[in-house]
Amino acid sequence: MVENIVFGQYIPGKSILHRLDPRAKIFCLLTFIPAVLLAGHWPFYVLLTLLTAFLIVLAGLPWRIIFQTLRPFWFILVLTFLLQVFFTPGEAFLRAGIFQATKEGAVLGGLLFWRLTLIIAVSSLLTLTTSPLDLTAAVERLLAPVARLGVNAPELAMMMTVAIRFLPVLLREALTIKKAQQARGVDFNSGWPWERLAKTIPLLVPLFAGTFGRAEELAAAMEARGYRVGAKRTRLHPLRFAWRDLAAAGFTAAVFALVVFFRA
Amino acid sequence: MANIIEVEDLHFRYRDGTEALRGLSLSIRKGSRVAILGPNGAGKSTLLLHLNGIYLPARGKVRILGREITAKTERWVKSKVGLVFQDPDDQVFSSSVWEDVSFGPINMNLSAEEVRTRVEQALRAVQMEEHKNKAPYHLSYGQKKRVAIAGVLAMEPEIIVLDEPMGYLDPRGKDNLLAILNELHRREITIVIATHDVDLAAEWADRVIIMKNGRTLAEGDTSLLADEELVRAADLRFPVVVEIFRRLPELNLNPLPKTISEAVEVIRAELKHASWEHF
């Protein structure tokens, strides 16, 4: 049913994670990430990993989907790991020319790799279980206090929705342009990295031109349906904080506090 | 009130200096099916954007339901005239079908209950209710087109304006869309389409407006599409049915059939005639 999940996509469902107030979910994410980053002792890694696994099970999503959302990040993940392994001073266990892999580096790299994986997995859980409409509503509400400082929260939220919606469209367009150029003889799959990079520039020009044209059309289409910055609009999704939202927020806050406490 | 749309001496110039409209006048009756034809650059799209108040007249007047479109009535007119863009990807931008259709009613600041009813009704009208939770990028082109129309229907306009409605649709998608347009006509909604498709205009419209160089070249019924001088002047071509009967001058037909059913009737009459002669 679901093929090619893109990071940021939403999969409708009825799990407890789906039903949590999006504001609570954002709060949990924003406490979970620093907890992962600050975790100093290995039992905390085990705890946070188990917690992430537990959340994935709670969301009722197949593991396959979580791995799919991780896939675009593998390069960064592997790169950070390798950089740590080879550039941390310490006891060398492998030598390749001027490079040497250290035990300390392997441990550090492994930890960093695992931290990033956890963060990406939990972040994708937020978007996988929250409809963009709810997410925008939550962002709008959470930003309400800054609105007084001149930040236009509803418009920021609208920008977010539009950006999420157009990611797949832009991707498809880029692929179409790429195919059109391949049809005229451009070979994207060979050459040195900088040569390949140079080849993407003619790809970007029509993509940007197309995007600007589309943005203009979209603005006209939105205006045609009565959209106007700052106008009063119907609120369809009144957000309600329930006990379970409080419990979830409280629990992650406690985990965070524990991590910070034992780090000191 | 006979004329639901009245355009009078409308001028419009784009910022880059292109004069898109140069004194365009036309009138459209309530409940009619109008096809606007004309070559690229005739000003069709610019006109459509004026009908919904996105562009305000630089010179001249646009009246909808007898009210002139100005900065003051521009919000009102958006709920009266629904505009369906050619490329549904430009128009359908939310992350789910339901959400997208609700966009217009939400902008009208209706009650949440009213928004829900209107969205359900609009989705039913275009037979997309079973896809309401789908993401638009998982839909076919024809389905997206229907969602774009539902998004406009949910605002309950009295006039619906469509820019090249059949563009890129497959034959089945065209039939579906035609059925929807017929249903809207039955509900007495005035429908205006801008198109290059002379066959569609001949078959579907009851009124034709031909534009060129930002002006109205001719206004009338579909017999305009069989007018040789006009068709040449407007860079159009004859509808297929007209073209066939133009090549059969021996039939002595006046006026020429323009729709398939008219053609079938004529041919059947000729066949009957011929078989009698055979006796």
Side-chain angles (χ1 to χ4, degrees):
Chain A
M1 164 197 96
V2 199
E3 79 288 357
N4 289 325
I5 298 295
V6 191
F7 187 78
Q9 197 172 326
Y10 166 59
I11 297 177
K14 291 205 163 29
S15 78
I16 178 133
L17 238 59
H18 282 86
R19 282 178 286 136
L20 274 185
D21 187 301
R23 287 170 297 179
K25 281 190 263 191
I26 293 177
F27 174 83
C28 290
L29 183 65
L30 290 182
T31 40
F32 187 87
I33 291 176
V36 171
L37 292 174
L38 291 173
H41 303 283
W42 68 265
F44 284 113
Y45 283 99
V46 177
L47 174 71
L48 290 168
T49 307
L50 286 176
L51 196 60
T52 308
F54 178 61
L55 287 174
I56 295 170
V57 173
L58 268 190
L61 295 169
W63 291 87
R64 187 172 48 85
I65 286 177
I66 306 294
F67 288 121
Q68 266 182 23
T69 56
L70 280 169
R71 206 186 309 160
F73 298 96
W74 74 266
F75 183 73
I76 297 174
L77 289 172
V78 171
L79 190 73
T80 43
F81 174 72
L82 290 179
L83 283 177
Q84 294 294 329
V85 171
F86 284 99
F87 291 100
T88 311
E91 195 186 326
F93 67 89
L94 194 102
R95 271 172 217 282
I98 52 162
F99 299 111
Q100 54 176 0
T102 61
K103 271 186 188 161
E104 288 80 354
V107 173
L108 219 60
L111 281 183
L112 198 60
F113 177 89
W114 195 239
R115 278 176 174 167
L116 286 176
T117 308
L118 285 183
I119 288 173
I120 296 167
V122 173
S123 308
S124 63
L125 268 184
L126 172 71
T127 51
L128 281 169
T129 63
T130 317
S131 91
L133 197 80
D134 281 343
L135 206 57
T136 10
V139 170
E140 197 179 320
R141 227 55 80 72
L142 288 171
L143 284 178
V146 250
R148 276 181 226 127
L149 300 174
V151 177
N152 196 339
E155 266 60 54
L156 268 179
M158 173 61 74
M159 268 163 56
M160 218 174 78
T161 322
V162 172
I164 293 175
R165 157 70 176 89
F166 277 98
L167 271 180
V169 176
L170 287 179
L171 201 69
R172 203 178 48 207
E173 225 150 272
L175 287 176
T176 310
I177 297 171
K178 189 175 166 185
K179 278 185 204 128
Q181 297 192 353
Q182 277 173 328
R184 292 200 290 159
V186 181
D187 182 6
F188 286 99
N189 299 321
S190 67
W192 293 94
W194 61 85
E195 283 175 335
R196 286 202 218 175
L197 205 65
K199 279 180 200 158
T200 58
I201 292 169
L203 204 85
L204 292 178
V205 175
L207 188 63
F208 274 112
T211 307
F212 286 131
R214 183 180 290 283
E216 222 161 278
E217 281 283 299
L218 175 68
M222 285 170 73
E223 223 184 296
R225 290 208 270 160
Y227 183 75
R228 151 189 309 250
V229 172
K232 220 171 140 51
R233 309 171 79 225
T234 316
R235 271 199 196 287
L236 265 188
H237 292 246
L239 299 176
R240 267 188 217 96
F241 228 69
W243 62 267
R244 55 166 182 261
D245 302 309
L246 220 58
F251 180 70
T252 29
V255 171
F256 176 70
L258 216 64
V259 168
V260 172
F261 180 76
F262 278 98
R263 195 183 160 79
Chain B
M1 180 199 51
N3 289 335
I4 195 164
I5 300 175
E6 274 172 345
V7 177
E8 225 178 85
D9 192 34
L10 186 62
H11 287 256
F12 190 82
R13 184 202 294 263
Y14 282 97
R15 249 179 256 156
D16 64 1
T18 320
E19 258 189 277
L21 299 177
R22 322 169 185 219
L24 176 89
S25 298
L26 56 86
S27 55
I28 288 168
R29 296 176 78 84
K30 186 171 161 52
S32 56
R33 287 172 290 189
V34 184
I36 300 179
L37 297 126
N40 289 325
K44 298 191 297 287
S45 301
T46 314
L47 168 66
L48 300 192
L49 292 170
H50 274 91
L51 296 180
N52 170 278
I54 289 189
Y55 290 159
L56 295 174
R59 209 174 102 200
K61 284 190 173 95
V62 176
R63 271 190 295 269
I64 303 289
L65 290 145
R67 266 174 98 172
E68 192 181 332
I69 303 185
T70 61
K72 273 184 201 151
T73 52
E74 169 225 348
R75 279 210 92 182
W76 165 84
V77 78
K78 286 185 172 111
S79 63
K80 293 295 165 196
V81 182
L83 195 53
V84 180
F85 287 67
Q86 178 175 354
D87 184 353
D89 269 326
D90 289 334
Q91 188 171 344
V92 178
F93 66 91
S94 304
S95 3
S96 84
V97 169
W98 199 96
E99 221 173 86
D100 195 85
V101 176
S102 70
F103 181 70
I106 284 178
N107 288 333
M108 291 165 78
N109 200 20
L110 302 167
S111 73
E113 204 37 54
E114 177 77 11
V115 171
R116 285 198 184 91
T117 340
R118 283 191 180 201
V119 173
E120 302 296 329
Q121 275 172 356
L123 283 174
R124 215 171 306 132
V126 299
Q127 290 168 17
M128 284 295 289
E129 64 265 66
E130 66 203 272
H131 300 289
K132 64 180 178 188
N133 292 321
K134 273 204 182 159
Y137 43 85
H138 284 155
L139 300 176
S140 75
Y141 194 86
Q143 288 173 325
K144 274 190 267 194
K145 193 96 194 183
R146 272 144 70 189
V147 173
I149 292 173
V152 158
L153 278 183
M155 297 174 80
E156 299 189 351
E158 294 190 35
I159 302 161
I160 292 187
V161 178
L162 304 100
D163 194 358
E164 201 63 76
M166 300 297 177
Y168 299 115
L169 285 179
D170 56 23
R172 175 77 171 279
K174 284 185 185 171
D175 283 350
N176 286 338
L177 185 55
L178 211 55
I180 291 169
L181 292 186
N182 288 337
E183 168 62 20
L184 297 180
H185 176 64
R186 207 188 50 77
R187 294 188 196 175
E188 288 172 15
I189 294 175
T190 310
I191 309 173
V192 180
I193 66 171
T195 184
H196 290 299
D197 187 341
V198 284
D199 293 305
L200 171 70
E203 196 69 41
W204 171 82
D206 35 48
R207 196 158 180 83
V208 173
I209 296 171
I210 298 176
M211 282 177 68
K212 196 181 181 181
N213 294 332
R215 286 190 206 93
T216 308
L217 201 61
E219 246 185 294
D221 62 23
T222 48
S223 65
L224 292 182
L225 297 171
D227 182 324
E228 192 167 353
E229 228 170 281
L230 198 57
V231 165
R232 193 176 317 120
D235 302 327
L236 295 172
R237 64 162 180 76
F238 294 111
V240 171
V241 174
V242 173
E243 182 63 36
I244 292 172
F245 286 96
R246 270 175 58 84
R247 294 196 199 173
L248 295 166
E250 60 269 35
L251 291 179
N252 258 326
L253 290 171
N254 193 25
L256 292 173
K258 288 168 291 286
T259 66
I260 292 174
S261 11
E262 279 172 17
V264 167
E265 224 167 279
V266 167
I267 294 170
R268 191 165 281 144
E270 284 298 324
L271 286 174
K272 208 177 257 173
H273 192 68
S275 61
W276 274 111
E277 251 171 28
H278 209 69
F279 263 109

